[in-house]
Amino acid sequence: MRTGIFTGSFDPYTIGHDNILRRALPLFDRIIIGIGVNEQKKYMLSADMRKKKIQELYRNEPRITVKTYNDLTIDFAKREMAQYIIKGVRSVKDFEYEREMAEANYRLSGIDTLLLFADPSLSFLSSSMVRELIHFGKDVREFLPTAKK
């Protein structure tokens, strides 16, 4: 069974994340969305709330599960018996960061990383931008995915 983990803080989970996940899904038998939790970091939404919202999005897709973790991504991947880490890349800056992480993760664990480039129409979108818009009272519904019927 080919398993990938799609990891991030997902605070909040955006249409950009959804686009990457849906494009990766045909490549895998199973994808685990791993919500990374860093106790030192302040989040807008609790890990449980992020998990619940994402689970609701994919309630009709049995190949997708959602879990939280608070250790290294490679340790989470090993526990879940994942062969790949899935990451989205929006820019050259993202690419360089993800490339370095992918190389370190592979060296430490033998787990490969699949980089998918953001849909150009969504490359401007980030969770931090959405959080800032929310902070200033803006309507961000167009940037947040809704559950498919």
Side-chain angles (χ1 to χ4, degrees), residues 4-10 31-37 54 65-69 73 76 87:
I5 59 167
F6 181 42
T7 61
S9 60
F10 304 125
I31 293 180
I32 300 159
I33 299 174
I35 301 170
V37 179
I54 297 169
T65 57
V66 185
K67 298 185 177 188
T68 60
Y69 70 100
T73 296
F76 175 64
K87 299 299 283 187

mmCIF file of all heavy atoms in Angstrom, residues 4-10 31-37 54 65-69 73 76 87:
data_model
loop_
_atom_site.group_PDB
_atom_site.id
_atom_site.type_symbol
_atom_site.label_atom_id
_atom_site.label_comp_id
_atom_site.label_asym_id
_atom_site.label_seq_id
_atom_site.Cartn_x
_atom_site.Cartn_y
_atom_site.Cartn_z
ATOM 1 N N GLY A 4 1.172 8.227 1.729
ATOM 2 C CA GLY A 4 1.840 9.518 1.842
ATOM 3 C C GLY A 4 1.301 10.269 3.038
ATOM 4 O O GLY A 4 0.151 10.072 3.440
ATOM 5 N N ILE A 5 2.147 11.110 3.605
ATOM 6 C CA ILE A 5 1.677 12.013 4.653
ATOM 7 C C ILE A 5 1.800 13.439 4.129
ATOM 8 O O ILE A 5 2.797 13.819 3.518
ATOM 9 C CB ILE A 5 2.416 11.836 5.995
ATOM 10 C CG1 ILE A 5 3.913 12.066 5.849
ATOM 11 C CG2 ILE A 5 2.117 10.489 6.618
ATOM 12 C CD1 ILE A 5 4.636 12.224 7.177
ATOM 13 N N PHE A 6 0.755 14.196 4.325
ATOM 14 C CA PHE A 6 0.701 15.600 3.940
ATOM 15 C C PHE A 6 0.726 16.376 5.237
ATOM 16 O O PHE A 6 -0.235 16.324 6.012
ATOM 17 C CB PHE A 6 -0.571 15.857 3.137
ATOM 18 C CG PHE A 6 -0.749 17.269 2.645
ATOM 19 C CD1 PHE A 6 0.303 17.996 2.122
ATOM 20 C CD2 PHE A 6 -2.002 17.856 2.687
ATOM 21 C CE1 PHE A 6 0.122 19.284 1.656
ATOM 22 C CE2 PHE A 6 -2.206 19.141 2.211
ATOM 23 C CZ PHE A 6 -1.131 19.859 1.696
ATOM 24 N N THR A 7 1.834 17.050 5.505
ATOM 25 C CA THR A 7 2.031 17.640 6.826
ATOM 26 C C THR A 7 2.087 19.156 6.790
ATOM 27 O O THR A 7 2.459 19.768 5.793
ATOM 28 C CB THR A 7 3.330 17.116 7.464
ATOM 29 O OG1 THR A 7 4.437 17.490 6.641
ATOM 30 C CG2 THR A 7 3.297 15.609 7.627
ATOM 31 N N GLY A 8 1.706 19.734 7.906
ATOM 32 C CA GLY A 8 1.766 21.177 8.085
ATOM 33 C C GLY A 8 1.060 21.540 9.377
ATOM 34 O O GLY A 8 0.499 20.682 10.062
ATOM 35 N N SER A 9 1.068 22.839 9.689
ATOM 36 C CA SER A 9 0.309 23.272 10.865
ATOM 37 C C SER A 9 -1.154 23.511 10.492
ATOM 38 O O SER A 9 -2.035 23.400 11.331
ATOM 39 C CB SER A 9 0.926 24.527 11.490
ATOM 40 O OG SER A 9 0.940 25.586 10.547
ATOM 41 N N PHE A 10 -1.405 23.842 9.237
ATOM 42 C CA PHE A 10 -2.766 23.995 8.713
ATOM 43 C C PHE A 10 -3.619 24.900 9.605
ATOM 44 O O PHE A 10 -4.734 24.559 9.974
ATOM 45 C CB PHE A 10 -3.432 22.631 8.521
ATOM 46 C CG PHE A 10 -2.654 21.705 7.626
ATOM 47 C CD1 PHE A 10 -2.288 20.441 8.067
ATOM 48 C CD2 PHE A 10 -2.277 22.087 6.350
ATOM 49 C CE1 PHE A 10 -1.574 19.573 7.244
ATOM 50 C CE2 PHE A 10 -1.555 21.232 5.518
ATOM 51 C CZ PHE A 10 -1.211 19.979 5.972
ATOM 52 N N ILE A 31 -3.674 8.696 2.076
ATOM 53 C CA ILE A 31 -2.952 9.900 2.502
ATOM 54 C C ILE A 31 -3.393 10.231 3.916
ATOM 55 O O ILE A 31 -4.590 10.269 4.222
ATOM 56 C CB ILE A 31 -3.189 11.107 1.572
ATOM 57 C CG1 ILE A 31 -2.574 10.853 0.190
ATOM 58 C CG2 ILE A 31 -2.596 12.388 2.193
ATOM 59 C CD1 ILE A 31 -2.756 11.987 -0.805
ATOM 60 N N ILE A 32 -2.412 10.470 4.761
ATOM 61 C CA ILE A 32 -2.666 10.898 6.129
ATOM 62 C C ILE A 32 -2.297 12.372 6.208
ATOM 63 O O ILE A 32 -1.168 12.750 5.887
ATOM 64 C CB ILE A 32 -1.831 10.093 7.139
ATOM 65 C CG1 ILE A 32 -2.179 8.615 7.013
ATOM 66 C CG2 ILE A 32 -2.052 10.613 8.558
ATOM 67 C CD1 ILE A 32 -1.131 7.694 7.559
ATOM 68 N N ILE A 33 -3.259 13.186 6.576
ATOM 69 C CA ILE A 33 -2.982 14.601 6.813
ATOM 70 C C ILE A 33 -2.459 14.686 8.237
ATOM 71 O O ILE A 33 -3.172 14.350 9.192
ATOM 72 C CB ILE A 33 -4.239 15.465 6.626
ATOM 73 C CG1 ILE A 33 -4.760 15.337 5.193
ATOM 74 C CG2 ILE A 33 -3.931 16.927 6.977
ATOM 75 C CD1 ILE A 33 -6.086 16.030 4.952
ATOM 76 N N GLY A 34 -1.209 15.100 8.365
ATOM 77 C CA GLY A 34 -0.573 15.199 9.678
ATOM 78 C C GLY A 34 -0.507 16.642 10.129
ATOM 79 O O GLY A 34 0.187 17.452 9.517
ATOM 80 N N ILE A 35 -1.236 16.946 11.175
ATOM 81 C CA ILE A 35 -1.246 18.301 11.732
ATOM 82 C C ILE A 35 -0.145 18.370 12.780
ATOM 83 O O ILE A 35 -0.246 17.765 13.845
ATOM 84 C CB ILE A 35 -2.609 18.633 12.362
ATOM 85 C CG1 ILE A 35 -3.719 18.505 11.314
ATOM 86 C CG2 ILE A 35 -2.581 20.032 12.981
ATOM 87 C CD1 ILE A 35 -5.116 18.576 11.890
ATOM 88 N N GLY A 36 0.909 19.082 12.434
ATOM 89 C CA GLY A 36 2.031 19.228 13.360
ATOM 90 C C GLY A 36 1.684 20.179 14.488
ATOM 91 O O GLY A 36 1.112 21.244 14.269
ATOM 92 N N VAL A 37 2.023 19.765 15.696
ATOM 93 C CA VAL A 37 1.745 20.579 16.879
ATOM 94 C C VAL A 37 3.065 20.874 17.579
ATOM 95 O O VAL A 37 3.778 19.965 17.983
ATOM 96 C CB VAL A 37 0.779 19.848 17.853
ATOM 97 C CG1 VAL A 37 0.527 20.694 19.090
ATOM 98 C CG2 VAL A 37 -0.524 19.497 17.141
ATOM 99 N N ILE A 54 -10.800 19.642 9.223
ATOM 100 C CA ILE A 54 -10.238 18.929 8.069
ATOM 101 C C ILE A 54 -10.936 17.586 7.884
ATOM 102 O O ILE A 54 -11.237 17.186 6.758
ATOM 103 C CB ILE A 54 -8.712 18.785 8.206
ATOM 104 C CG1 ILE A 54 -8.043 20.178 8.202
ATOM 105 C CG2 ILE A 54 -8.143 17.933 7.074
ATOM 106 C CD1 ILE A 54 -6.575 20.180 8.603
ATOM 107 N N THR A 65 -7.111 10.213 6.021
ATOM 108 C CA THR A 65 -7.310 10.290 7.467
ATOM 109 C C THR A 65 -6.555 11.508 7.985
ATOM 110 O O THR A 65 -5.632 12.011 7.332
ATOM 111 C CB THR A 65 -6.822 9.021 8.199
ATOM 112 O OG1 THR A 65 -5.448 8.810 7.882
ATOM 113 C CG2 THR A 65 -7.620 7.806 7.810
ATOM 114 N N VAL A 66 -6.941 11.974 9.135
ATOM 115 C CA VAL A 66 -6.339 13.170 9.731
ATOM 116 C C VAL A 66 -5.861 12.819 11.133
ATOM 117 O O VAL A 66 -6.612 12.266 11.929
ATOM 118 C CB VAL A 66 -7.352 14.336 9.797
ATOM 119 C CG1 VAL A 66 -6.675 15.606 10.305
ATOM 120 C CG2 VAL A 66 -8.012 14.574 8.440
ATOM 121 N N LYS A 67 -4.606 13.146 11.404
ATOM 122 C CA LYS A 67 -4.023 12.879 12.725
ATOM 123 C C LYS A 67 -3.171 14.064 13.143
ATOM 124 O O LYS A 67 -2.709 14.832 12.305
ATOM 125 C CB LYS A 67 -3.151 11.622 12.680
ATOM 126 C CG LYS A 67 -3.936 10.371 12.319
ATOM 127 C CD LYS A 67 -3.087 9.136 12.404
ATOM 128 C CE LYS A 67 -3.942 7.900 12.093
ATOM 129 N NZ LYS A 67 -3.211 6.679 12.340
ATOM 130 N N THR A 68 -2.956 14.191 14.431
ATOM 131 C CA THR A 68 -2.025 15.200 14.955
ATOM 132 C C THR A 68 -0.753 14.496 15.409
ATOM 133 O O THR A 68 -0.770 13.300 15.715
ATOM 134 C CB THR A 68 -2.640 15.982 16.140
ATOM 135 O OG1 THR A 68 -2.954 15.074 17.181
ATOM 136 C CG2 THR A 68 -3.881 16.749 15.710
ATOM 137 N N TYR A 69 0.333 15.248 15.424
ATOM 138 C CA TYR A 69 1.594 14.707 15.939
ATOM 139 C C TYR A 69 2.423 15.853 16.508
ATOM 140 O O TYR A 69 2.261 17.008 16.119
ATOM 141 C CB TYR A 69 2.356 13.939 14.854
ATOM 142 C CG TYR A 69 2.933 14.774 13.739
ATOM 143 C CD1 TYR A 69 4.279 15.123 13.721
ATOM 144 C CD2 TYR A 69 2.133 15.227 12.694
ATOM 145 C CE1 TYR A 69 4.817 15.887 12.688
ATOM 146 C CE2 TYR A 69 2.657 15.978 11.665
ATOM 147 C CZ TYR A 69 4.000 16.313 11.666
ATOM 148 O OH TYR A 69 4.529 17.068 10.652
ATOM 149 N N THR A 73 8.570 14.990 11.802
ATOM 150 C CA THR A 73 7.760 14.475 10.698
ATOM 151 C C THR A 73 8.214 13.080 10.280
ATOM 152 O O THR A 73 7.382 12.218 10.009
ATOM 153 C CB THR A 73 7.807 15.453 9.511
ATOM 154 O OG1 THR A 73 7.195 16.693 9.930
ATOM 155 C CG2 THR A 73 7.068 14.920 8.303
ATOM 156 N N PHE A 76 6.809 10.568 12.668
ATOM 157 C CA PHE A 76 5.383 10.396 12.380
ATOM 158 C C PHE A 76 5.214 9.527 11.133
ATOM 159 O O PHE A 76 4.419 8.586 11.127
ATOM 160 C CB PHE A 76 4.737 11.778 12.184
ATOM 161 C CG PHE A 76 3.299 11.741 11.769
ATOM 162 C CD1 PHE A 76 2.321 11.211 12.597
ATOM 163 C CD2 PHE A 76 2.908 12.274 10.552
ATOM 164 C CE1 PHE A 76 0.984 11.194 12.213
ATOM 165 C CE2 PHE A 76 1.580 12.268 10.150
ATOM 166 C CZ PHE A 76 0.614 11.726 10.988
ATOM 167 N N LYS A 87 4.527 17.710 0.093
ATOM 168 C CA LYS A 87 4.617 19.129 0.429
ATOM 169 C C LYS A 87 4.243 19.961 -0.787
ATOM 170 O O LYS A 87 4.513 19.580 -1.915
ATOM 171 C CB LYS A 87 6.041 19.505 0.873
ATOM 172 C CG LYS A 87 6.540 18.777 2.111
ATOM 173 C CD LYS A 87 5.711 19.022 3.343
ATOM 174 C CE LYS A 87 6.000 20.362 3.955
ATOM 175 N NZ LYS A 87 5.333 20.557 5.250
#
